[in-house]
Amino acid sequence: MDPSETERSQSREWRRETRVNVGPAERKASVIGGAALAVSGLRCISKRNYASGLAMMLAGGMFLYRGQTGHCGIYDAMGVDTVHTHNSALTIEKAVTIGLPPNEVYEFWRNLENLPRFMRHLESVQVTGARTSHWKAVGPGGISAEWDAEMMEDVPGQQISWHSVGEADVPNKGSVEFREAPGYRGTEVKVTIDYYPPGGGAGRAAAKLAQGINSQQLEEDLKRLKQILEVGEETTARRTVQ
């Protein structure tokens, strides 16, 4: 298989990994709701109420598609995935190709104090032990949050995963994978982060912070990482909070 075919094959694989983004319970509800809407639409059409009937059938078809395929275009746009999450978690996932070997990209990320250099929502990350660290984040409206984190997996040149511990303002977990890119183009970096905003007033503030850390934000963060590692420059724009 030539490099271009390998690249296309891996690209298709990554798309398949992220295509199903609706959880089992939502899929079941979508099928039931879609079928009910479709039946109601047929009844309206039989009574010559064509406009309402067609609208119901169209909506029903969309819900049936969502339930049968497990894919939601709106979730895609928002960077939301309810397949691998529980307790109202917010999941975001993005990938980027960086023109350096996996070990070099891993080493930069493994120094956790580098993360605020390219992740806008992070104010600081302080290493507190061999596998522990303290994180400070800032979100929309100046909302701030702090948490302690522990590294769960650390495979040099391949993967790093972590999760918050203790009384975290925004409980979370995440992972970053480093894969050799097809055609010797460098490293494919894939990042997945889950946020679990708690309940109550503090939870609402935490949810607002988590919502500010969305798929588009993560994509921009990874572009900055690519710029730093490939060009050796950082954007001069200061972190702004909307």
Side-chain angles (χ1 to χ4, degrees):
M1 183 180 294
D2 60 45
S4 61
E5 181 59 27
T6 301
E7 183 175 351
R8 287 194 294 271
S9 176
Q10 187 158 354
S11 176
R12 288 193 295 268
E13 179 184 345
W14 279 49
R15 285 197 296 270
R16 284 196 298 270
E17 289 177 3
T18 59
R19 180 169 178 77
V20 177
N21 57 8
V22 179
E26 284 187 75
R27 292 181 66 174
K28 183 177 180 180
S30 294
V31 169
I32 294 173
L37 279 171
V39 170
S40 296
L42 286 172
R43 288 174 179 167
C44 285
I45 290 175
S46 68
K47 296 176 182 179
R48 298 186 178 182
N49 188 350
Y50 298 111
S52 296
L54 289 173
M56 287 183 179
M57 290 190 68
L58 178 61
M62 292 173 64
F63 276 106
L64 285 170
Y65 172 84
R66 186 177 188 267
Q68 291 174 351
T69 65
H71 178 257
C72 176
I74 295 175
Y75 278 8
D76 257 353
M78 295 175 61
V80 173
D81 179 351
T82 63
V83 176
H84 306 101
T85 60
H86 307 278
N87 302 327
S88 301
L90 172 65
T91 296
I92 54 177
E93 182 178 282
K94 281 294 177 181
V96 69
T97 299
I98 297 175
L100 290 174
N103 282 335
E104 289 189 36
V105 183
Y106 160 85
E107 289 293 343
F108 183 87
W109 194 294
R110 181 61 179 81
N111 180 1
L112 300 179
E113 294 182 357
N114 281 328
L115 300 186
R117 292 176 60 184
F118 62 91
M119 302 188 88
R120 280 192 183 275
H121 71 283
L122 289 179
E123 187 173 283
S124 67
V125 177
Q126 179 183 3
V127 174
T128 57
R131 302 180 70 86
T132 59
S133 52
H134 184 76
W135 301 49
K136 294 182 180 180
V138 62
I143 294 173
S144 62
E146 299 186 28
W147 63 86
D148 292 317
E150 179 181 22
M151 200 169 291
M152 296 185 294
E153 292 181 276
D154 182 12
V155 183
Q158 297 182 37
Q159 183 176 13
I160 297 172
S161 65
W162 66 92
H163 67 153
S164 60
V165 294
E167 298 295 326
D169 289 341
V170 185
N172 64 87
K173 66 178 181 179
S175 68
V176 55
E177 300 175 31
F178 309 92
R179 304 178 181 179
E180 186 172 332
Y184 305 101
R185 296 186 300 113
T187 303
E188 289 185 346
V189 181
K190 180 181 177 183
V191 180
T192 304
I193 304 176
D194 295 335
Y195 292 97
Y196 300 85
R204 287 191 291 273
K208 185 175 181 181
L209 171 64
Q211 288 165 5
I213 309 167
N214 53 35
S215 181
Q216 181 179 357
Q217 177 69 70
L218 181 58
E219 182 177 8
E220 292 172 357
D221 290 343
L222 292 179
K223 287 179 180 177
R224 279 188 291 274
L225 173 64
K226 178 181 176 72
Q227 180 183 19
I228 291 171
L229 291 179
E230 292 185 349
V231 184
E233 299 177 358
E234 295 182 55
T235 178
T236 56
R238 298 295 297 172
R239 183 183 295 112
T240 58
V241 180
Q242 299 180 351

